Amino acid sequence: MSDITGITRGGTPWTPEFAVALDAKKCIGCGRCYKVCTRDVLELIDRSEEDLPEDDDDDDSESISSVMSLADPMDCTGCGACSRVCPKACFTHSAMPLAA
């Protein structure tokens, strides 16, 4: 099966890259990705102890009590806005075939 492709308004072929993973260990729970997502793809959830950010050097880890998660990745349109605003590069995107 081939990847989903589209055409821009200007006629250029375009292959969307969908959010397929989010690294909770990098996520700081800032919510920037949530604010730019036009679909219900993301959800802010309570952070577990093992999901603390990798570069959390100070002892203020209690202030970072939430983490973003992919609540409905099948609703992703592949726009990539979440990755562009993420200060920690938490997202992994990939071109995908149409879901069966």
Side-chain angles (χ1 to χ4, degrees):
M1 194 179 263
S2 63
D3 290 338
I4 296 171
T5 57
I7 298 175
T8 66
R9 183 173 166 214
T12 305
W14 174 66
T15 301
E17 292 196 348
F18 303 95
V20 294
L22 190 153
D23 187 344
K25 291 195 182 289
K26 289 182 180 180
C27 181
I28 59 173
C30 68
R32 291 175 187 164
C33 55
Y34 183 83
K35 291 175 185 174
V36 299
C37 184
T38 62
R39 310 295 299 176
D40 291 326
V41 176
L42 303 168
E43 176 181 38
L44 199 59
I45 60 172
D46 289 337
R47 183 184 298 276
S48 63
E49 283 294 317
E50 58 271 2
D51 287 336
L52 291 174
E54 292 174 346
D55 61 350
D56 192 19
D57 293 334
D58 56 17
D59 288 332
D60 195 22
S61 61
E62 291 177 330
S63 67
I64 304 172
S65 61
S66 299
V67 64
M68 201 57 63
S69 103
L70 293 176
D72 189 3
M74 295 304 280
D75 205 22
C76 179
T77 62
C79 70
C82 54
S83 281
R84 287 192 297 277
V85 299
C86 181
K88 296 294 184 176
C90 295
F91 290 90
T92 300
H93 285 76
S94 180
M96 304 288 286
L98 188 61

